Amino acid sequence: MNLPDQPNFKTHFADLLRQAASTLIEPDALPRIEMARTKQASHGDYSCNIAMQLAKPLRKNPREIASLLIEAIPDSPLLEKVEVAGAGFINLFLTHAAKQTFLQYVLKKGKTFGTGHYGQGKKIQVEFVSANPTGPLHVGHGRGAALGASLANILAAAGFCVTREYYVNDAGRQMDILTLSAWLRYLELNGIHLPFPENAYQGDYVKVMAQLIQQAHAERYVHQADLLLDGLDENVTDEGINTDLQLDRMIANAKQILGEDYAYIHNFVLTEQLGDCRNDLMEFGVTFDTWFSEQSLFDNGFVAHAVKMLEERGFLYQQDGAAWFRSTKFGDEKDRVVQRENGQFTYFASDIAYHLNKFERGFEQVINIWGADHHGYIARVKGALQALEQDPNKLEIALVQFAVLYRDGKKAPMSTRSGEFVTLRELREEVGKDAARFFYVMRKSDQHLDFDLDLAKSESNENPVYYVQYAHARVCSVLAQWEEGDISMLADVNAELLTSPAELGLLQKIIDFPDIVEAAAKEFAPHLIAFYLRELASEFHSYYNSTRFLVPEESLQHARLSLIVAIQKVLQNGLNLLGVNAPEKM
RNA sequence: GUGCCCGUAGCUCAAUUGGAUAGAGCACCAGCCUUCUAAGCUGGGGGUUACAGGUUCGAUCCCUGUCGGGCACGCCA
């Protein structure tokens, strides 16, 4: 049988029904043909509800319409039979030959099986993680990283031209606080003990950075540190420093005392944290095409430019000395400040500039992966884009709910500022990269995630990661014991011998894979891949236990081997999309 | 208080976005290694989809209300 290059049975059947429906109704009035995979084998392989949808416009009984459609359906070598069922479903059965022949395409496509053209080469950007470089990544960032990286892979597989981007918040107050924190620790190393503000960064990593500065430059950056507390309340040493005002005063003092050296320390801690973050993510299998600096938007005047554009279009007004953007015109709850009383731009201002910049770089679609705590932020960013005459629908925000760690059935404590949190690095060291990546995307992203550390760690049948990987290792093991051992022999195998329910079920499962990838891309839902892989592994394990592959009869042996090689490819490709290894031995 | 998200088996979650008898894993019970890896397989029990209405051929999904949980409501980022 000769089939087109990348056969898609689902769309083929949809075409057949569309042709049949054109005998009953004007093509313009025809709704989209929904072709769904069935849950039960008795319902065939694919099912369509078009007859029910046409019941209203045609004013006829759905079952009657279904019968008429079936009579009008063109002949196809892929269609075994078609029947009416239930309230008017049209159930279609694929021929065994169609399923069996499909195996050849899988083996031929190999690593690229599962890819498609849904994205039509559109330029799409995925921005994710984008954590402030003020400390180590924690397990909350890990979920965004795993989700973003997997989604980017899936979009690329679905035919998009993907750019992965990390927005570096290297401007602004948090970086100043980190700089001050590091300098204070550095001063301590030089015997100068000033009160350490409660709202500065407490983590030990700050002390490590201070040590690095100390080792490289000795006491060079001590300067007149005793002036640091100037202008603060008299009795700070007794009560401690804990207000934003006091902290900002210390930062201002530090800038004055250090002069040009302030920039050195600022830059040093930034580079250090960013490098740490990059390594951490790399070891997590997460890489970026672009690290986009927020500071660069200020340096080249782009923030001022964007704000000016808002002003020119009449969306800005002055009140209480600040410049406000009329975001309420675009559905926001209240207007927002873009330039403060003291002349500084707000974070929102640079974010407007950043998103405008994204569109000006020519991305046809932009996806932001944000923590769910930022959901109130969506309206104002989209509003600003609209005000700047951009299409806000080109920006899509995927919200990620928090991940809560459980150890021994109890919540692991998490509190960012106090430095008491589980880092991504610790998580990786504890459960391993593969388990962490898989667990993070096992849930729909807009759902809370309960991350069971004990389960992720367990090297047993309880662990879904090993379950999928084990299926892959088993195939590899069989192939290793296959004496002829040449997979190319399987290219033109006679798959007609694959007729058991298990074999036909597995064939259908393989056929589904490209559709699953496309659905995952369409819905920003990597968890669909995880669930699919689990199901495929399950069917394989069952097959493995019931059927011997290395049988004496060569044609049957080759047929079965070709099937498990195809399964191996799908497992590899699927795990690869999720950033999980497919080990040959376990 | 206002806005957004959520509520599905004992636990953690799915459900092709309005489709057929709501499905998996874990946990629990009973079996399967002289055979390609038992990190596996086979069988079993378990549900008024928080609750009350509404929309229609058909609702876990859409609308209204109630109860319960999470998040957000700065000239912070």
Side-chain angles (χ1 to χ4, degrees):
Chain A
M1 190 190 317
N2 265 334
L3 293 172
D5 181 47
Q6 167 83 20
N8 188 318
F9 303 135
K10 207 169 159 178
T11 53
H12 175 70
F13 281 169
D15 284 340
L16 294 182
L17 275 178
R18 191 172 297 111
Q19 290 176 50
S22 67
T23 64
L24 299 181
I25 191 169
E26 289 297 314
D28 294 343
L30 186 64
R32 202 165 70 87
I33 307 261
E34 303 269 0
M35 191 62 64
R37 281 276 290 113
T38 55
K39 289 173 187 164
Q40 289 179 50
S42 63
H43 293 157
D45 297 306
Y46 297 91
S47 170
C48 187
N49 63 0
I50 189 67
M52 279 119 103
Q53 293 194 46
L54 290 177
K56 226 186 310 169
L58 293 180
R59 304 179 60 83
K60 277 184 186 165
N61 181 314
R63 285 190 65 100
E64 191 185 335
I65 296 169
S67 305
L68 292 172
L69 287 173
I70 288 173
E71 278 173 38
I73 208 165
D75 284 338
S76 163
L78 306 179
L79 185 59
E80 177 68 32
K81 65 172 171 176
V82 51
E83 53 190 35
V84 189
F89 292 99
I90 299 173
N91 292 337
L92 300 102
F93 293 73
L94 214 45
T95 60
H96 289 184
K99 296 182 187 182
Q100 291 153 351
T101 312
F102 192 83
L103 224 37
Q104 291 174 12
Y105 296 99
V106 182
L107 298 188
K108 198 168 71 187
K109 294 206 81 178
K111 276 186 174 19
T112 62
F113 175 66
T115 61
H117 299 101
Y118 168 70
Q120 297 179 306
K122 269 167 71 177
K123 275 187 73 178
I124 190 169
Q125 184 210 51
V126 185
E127 182 221 319
F128 58 111
V129 189
S130 299
N132 279 345
T134 52
L137 297 171
H138 57 69
V139 292
H141 300 126
R143 188 170 187 197
L147 181 81
S150 301
L151 180 58
N153 290 343
I154 289 164
L155 290 168
F160 288 93
C161 179
V162 182
T163 297
R164 298 156 173 87
E165 183 154 312
Y166 188 119
Y167 182 52
V168 183
N169 295 113
D170 53 358
R173 185 162 173 268
Q174 296 304 321
M175 277 307 301
D176 283 328
I177 298 174
L178 180 67
T179 307
L180 174 70
S181 306
W183 191 43
L184 281 167
R185 293 304 190 202
Y186 165 82
L187 292 173
E188 285 172 13
L189 293 173
N190 286 280
I192 300 169
H193 291 273
L194 296 167
F196 195 87
E198 288 172 23
N199 43 359
Y201 288 101
Q202 307 279 348
D204 286 341
Y205 63 94
V206 179
K207 296 178 183 170
V208 174
M209 288 192 295
Q211 277 165 14
L212 291 173
I213 300 173
Q214 161 79 7
Q215 280 159 20
H217 303 286
E219 74 282 353
R220 188 191 147 176
Y221 295 108
V222 171
H223 294 274
Q224 290 182 281
D226 47 318
L227 297 177
L228 195 49
L229 297 179
D230 274 14
L232 276 77
D233 299 342
E234 295 291 321
N235 52 355
V236 284
T237 42
D238 296 339
E239 292 186 5
I241 298 172
N242 48 31
T243 69
D244 283 350
L245 221 60
Q246 291 171 315
L247 194 60
D248 286 339
R249 190 52 183 264
M250 283 183 83
I251 290 168
N253 288 344
K255 285 180 178 172
Q256 187 145 23
I257 297 163
L258 282 162
E260 288 180 2
D261 285 342
Y262 183 86
Y264 171 81
I265 297 178
H266 184 283
N267 192 47
F268 180 88
V269 295
L270 171 65
T271 308
E272 199 60 32
Q273 286 307 308
L274 223 46
D276 179 69
C277 178
R278 191 190 308 245
N279 286 336
D280 198 4
L281 289 169
M282 199 177 294
E283 284 165 20
F284 196 42
V286 177
T287 56
F288 292 89
D289 303 300
T290 314
W291 294 71
F292 192 97
S293 158
E294 179 189 9
Q295 184 64 48
S296 73
L297 292 169
F298 288 100
D299 293 346
N300 60 23
F302 204 80
V303 176
H305 167 69
V307 170
K308 194 163 176 227
M309 282 176 75
L310 285 174
E311 188 175 14
E312 286 167 0
R313 284 164 176 72
F315 295 114
L316 239 54
Y317 64 92
Q318 301 289 323
Q319 187 181 313
D320 303 329
W324 297 72
F325 166 54
R326 290 187 198 280
S327 52
T328 45
K329 283 216 163 193
F330 305 96
D332 199 5
E333 297 168 353
K334 52 171 288 191
D335 293 338
R336 309 289 174 175
V337 171
V338 290
Q339 192 168 17
R340 290 199 283 260
E341 204 177 348
N342 64 10
Q344 286 197 324
F345 290 109
T346 59
Y347 172 85
F348 180 41
S350 53
D351 232 22
I352 294 170
Y354 178 45
H355 283 90
L356 180 61
N357 174 280
K358 288 185 183 190
F359 283 12
E360 288 185 353
R361 275 187 277 162
F363 292 114
E364 294 166 78
Q365 200 179 356
V366 166
I367 300 174
N368 291 359
I369 293 178
W370 280 355
D373 53 333
H374 284 74
H375 69 78
Y377 213 73
I378 299 173
R380 73 189 81 163
V381 173
K382 290 203 171 204
L385 285 169
Q386 215 174 325
L388 295 173
E389 289 152 35
Q390 303 292 328
D391 179 5
N393 294 322
K394 281 162 54 177
L395 169 66
E396 295 208 53
I397 316 279
L399 291 179
V400 186
Q401 292 286 347
F402 294 118
V404 182
L405 293 185
Y406 283 82
R407 194 193 302 277
D408 302 325
K410 290 195 310 193
K411 262 188 192 178
M414 286 275 284
S415 148
T416 335
R417 186 56 73 84
S418 68
E420 189 194 351
F421 51 77
V422 181
T423 65
L424 176 60
R425 187 169 273 124
E426 285 163 353
L427 176 72
R428 285 194 287 105
E429 282 163 2
E430 184 166 347
V431 310
K433 183 202 83 166
D434 287 341
R437 287 289 301 258
F438 197 89
F439 268 66
Y440 270 132
V441 298
M442 250 181 358
R443 303 280 173 258
K444 222 159 45 175
S445 57
D446 58 358
Q447 296 283 350
H448 284 98
L449 170 66
D450 285 351
F451 197 121
D452 186 337
L453 287 169
D454 304 306
L455 180 60
K457 257 189 310 192
S458 73
E459 298 195 1
S460 75
N461 55 354
E462 298 166 23
N463 195 323
V465 191
Y466 292 116
Y467 185 81
V468 176
Q469 290 181 321
Y470 186 48
H472 180 263
R474 273 183 151 175
V475 176
C476 293
S477 176
V478 173
L479 294 177
Q481 287 167 69
W482 178 36
E483 308 225 327
E484 298 92 308
D486 186 0
I487 291 176
S488 62
M489 292 171 66
L490 304 174
D492 302 309
V493 82
N494 178 5
E496 286 171 28
L497 298 169
L498 302 175
T499 54
S500 74
E503 286 160 344
L504 291 167
L506 276 163
L507 287 168
Q508 181 63 60
K509 202 78 196 164
I510 291 166
I511 290 165
D512 289 340
F513 183 58
D515 292 334
I516 298 290
V517 175
E518 186 175 311
K522 218 177 274 185
E523 296 168 36
F524 303 162
H527 78 279
L528 293 175
I529 305 287
F531 274 91
Y532 169 86
L533 289 174
R534 187 178 234 299
E535 288 165 12
L536 176 64
S538 171
E539 286 191 34
F540 168 76
H541 284 310
S542 179
Y543 182 48
Y544 180 95
N545 273 273
S546 69
T547 311
R548 210 177 151 74
F549 311 138
L550 296 173
V551 290
E553 188 191 338
E554 194 179 74
S555 57
L556 187 61
Q557 182 199 75
H558 285 192
R560 287 177 176 167
L561 287 174
S562 68
L563 175 59
I564 67 169
V565 168
I567 293 165
Q568 179 195 40
K569 295 296 169 209
V570 178
L571 289 171
Q572 282 169 2
N573 297 351
L575 286 171
N576 192 40
L577 290 175
L578 301 183
V580 178
N581 284 314
E584 294 184 14
K585 278 184 185 169
M586 288 176 73

